[in-house]
């Protein structure tokens, strides 16, 4: 399979036939008659694509990106994206901004780029934009593009980076809106999470250890970041707190069985050491497991 590497803005522009106006950043729109070929795109750049049609299928690892017309996919350095053509759609159309990590060196955005967790969404959640959000997204890209066409001066880098930061902040707002408006999908994921968690505690914890957020995110085919935010919006609790709540409920039920020692209860729940279980239980109830037994 063809392997394509985008380690520089120049490589990206050369591959798609765009002029390079700045060595570290580019804003482009692609609407050429070019048939998509199956390939792996390796990114050494940050990239945000506003996809205007279903011109190709994208996947990262074993999961597919969830995108349709007018959705945004975000890639960060180190990602390898599997691209496949879509039957019946001859030519892809998209608008994109790509920028090299060096553009952010010694800037506040560079120091805080990790807060934009959508770059780490490695599975099937693209950003679905409303008509108004599309206008905002394109409006900010237009401001960056105008700056790229302006002669470079001492203000150029600051203005470009500040507008990229503005774009990323808008994406965070749009994602927050998406978590709320996709309530039915979110509810289904949380129901699956709860069912998987109950089964894990009942059948796997004693053997595989305490349940971890990453395990359930993977089972739901979502990245850790997106899964955690979805659970928080839907339940009002973090995924870790959600797990702790179910562990505590299971612990109370097991402690009602007098034939089990406190150590055995902890082991069944996945605690490697008894003192860790005692600390966990007391933190959440104010009582040790023994004190709880004596009180009920």
């Amino acid at each position: 399979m063809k392997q394509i590497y985008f380690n520089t803005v120049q490589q990206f522009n050369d591959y798609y036939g765009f002029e390079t106006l700045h060595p570290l950043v580019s804003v482009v729109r692609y609407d050429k008659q070019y048939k998509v070929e199956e390939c792996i795109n390796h990114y050494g750049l940050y990239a945000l694509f506003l996809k205007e049609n279903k011109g190709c299928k994208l996947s990262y690892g074993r999961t597919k990106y969830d995108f349709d017309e007018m959705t945004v996919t975000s890639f960060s350095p180190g990602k390898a994206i599997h691209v496949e053509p879509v039957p019946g759609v001859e030519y892809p159309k998209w608008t994109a901004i790509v920028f090299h990590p060096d553009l952010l060196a010694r800037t506040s955005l560079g120091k805080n780029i990790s807060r934009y967790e959508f770059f780490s969404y490695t599975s099937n959640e693209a950003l679905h934009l409303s008509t108004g959000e599309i206008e905002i997204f394109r409006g900010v890209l237009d401001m960056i593009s105008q700056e790229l066409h302006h002669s470079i001066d001492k203000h150029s880098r600051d203005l470009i980076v500040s507008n990229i930061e503005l774009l990323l902040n808008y994406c965070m707002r749009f994602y927050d809106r998406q978590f709320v408006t996709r309530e039915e999908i979110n509810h289904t994921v949380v129901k699956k999470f709860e069912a998987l968690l109950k089964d894990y505690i009942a059948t796997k914890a004693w053997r595989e250890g305490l349940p971890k957020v990453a395990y359930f995110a993977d089972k739901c085919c979502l990245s850790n970041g997106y899964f955690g935010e979805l659970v928080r919006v839907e339940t009002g609790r973090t995924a870790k707190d959600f797990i702790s709540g179910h562990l505590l409920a299971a612990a109370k039920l097991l402690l009602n069985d007098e034939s089990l020692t406190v150590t055995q209860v902890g082991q069944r729940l996945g605690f490697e050491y008894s003192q860790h279980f005692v600390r966990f239980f007391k933190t959440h109830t104010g009582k040790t497991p023994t004190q709880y037994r004596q009180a009920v």
Side-chain angles (χ1 to χ4, degrees):
M1 188 181 303
K2 189 176 182 181
Q3 307 287 321
I4 302 169
Y5 292 85
F6 299 133
N7 291 319
T8 67
V9 170
Q10 187 70 59
Q11 287 176 332
F12 180 87
N13 286 339
D14 287 348
Y15 182 81
Y16 289 109
F18 297 115
E19 179 184 4
T20 298
L21 301 175
H22 192 291
L24 298 178
V25 59
S26 187
V27 174
V28 293
R29 184 173 187 274
Y30 191 88
D31 59 357
K32 302 176 183 179
Q33 293 188 356
Y34 171 77
K35 291 186 178 181
V36 175
E37 297 179 356
E38 187 174 7
C39 62
I40 302 291
N41 288 348
H42 299 267
Y43 283 87
L45 308 168
Y46 289 99
L48 287 90
F49 287 83
L50 173 61
K51 302 190 66 61
E52 300 174 16
N53 67 354
K54 294 183 179 180
C56 61
K57 292 186 287 186
L58 306 178
S59 60
Y60 179 93
R62 64 182 178 82
T63 55
K64 303 293 183 183
Y65 277 91
D66 170 21
F67 73 86
D68 205 329
E69 291 88 348
M70 297 307 176
T71 57
V72 175
T73 52
S74 309
F75 308 138
S76 57
K79 275 196 175 181
I81 306 300
H82 184 194
V83 180
E84 300 175 81
V86 172
V89 181
E90 198 164 5
Y91 308 119
K93 295 181 181 180
W94 44 262
T95 300
I97 177 171
V98 296
F99 55 97
H100 195 278
D102 287 354
L103 180 71
L104 310 182
R106 300 181 303 280
T107 68
S108 61
L109 178 57
K111 294 175 183 177
N112 298 306
I113 192 68
S114 61
R115 71 187 290 260
Y116 301 100
E117 293 188 351
F118 49 82
F119 279 119
S120 68
Y121 293 167
T122 58
S123 52
N124 63 338
E125 282 300 340
L127 176 58
H128 299 249
L129 299 184
S130 67
T131 301
E133 290 167 350
I134 292 168
E135 292 180 3
I136 292 172
F137 191 93
R138 283 181 165 158
V140 179
L141 286 184
D142 284 345
M143 287 192 291
I144 298 171
S145 182
Q146 289 173 26
E147 191 58 38
L148 291 175
H149 284 84
H150 190 282
S151 56
I152 296 178
D153 57 31
K154 65 180 182 179
H155 303 289
S156 299
R157 183 167 176 259
D158 287 344
L159 288 169
I160 291 170
V161 171
S162 64
N163 277 297
I164 291 175
E165 186 169 16
L166 177 63
L167 181 68
L168 300 184
N169 285 335
Y170 270 119
C171 286
M172 287 183 68
R173 169 183 278 182
F174 299 158
Y175 259 116
D176 284 346
R177 184 270 312 152
Q178 179 165 297
F179 282 120
V180 173
T181 56
R182 304 186 85 188
E183 182 178 353
E184 184 175 345
I185 295 172
N186 296 351
H187 184 66
T188 300
V189 171
V190 172
K191 293 246 328 172
K192 181 178 180 180
F193 173 30
E194 186 169 25
L196 288 168
L197 177 56
K198 288 179 177 179
D199 178 71
Y200 185 98
I201 292 173
T203 66
K204 297 182 176 66
W206 66 272
R207 183 178 63 250
E208 299 184 19
L210 290 170
K212 301 290 194 304
V213 173
Y215 172 87
F216 300 102
D218 182 66
K219 290 295 183 182
C220 293
C221 294
L222 296 170
S223 67
N224 291 353
Y226 193 95
F227 178 76
E229 186 64 12
L230 184 154
V231 172
R232 185 192 65 77
V233 170
E234 182 68 17
T235 70
R237 292 183 288 169
T238 67
K240 187 176 180 180
D241 286 342
F242 192 86
I243 290 172
S244 293
H246 279 269
L247 278 174
L248 185 62
K252 289 178 177 179
L253 284 175
L254 290 172
L255 286 169
N256 288 332
D257 184 351
E258 296 287 348
S259 68
L260 296 174
T261 66
V262 169
T263 297
Q264 288 173 328
V265 170
Q267 288 172 341
R268 287 198 180 190
L269 295 175
F271 289 89
E272 186 176 0
Y273 302 106
S274 178
Q275 60 266 36
H276 291 172
F277 170 58
V278 172
R279 187 182 307 123
F280 165 83
F281 195 88
K282 187 171 183 179
T283 297
H284 288 84
T285 67
K287 300 176 182 178
T288 66
T290 301
Q291 290 170 336
Y292 173 81
R293 271 183 161 167
Q294 293 171 346
V296 294

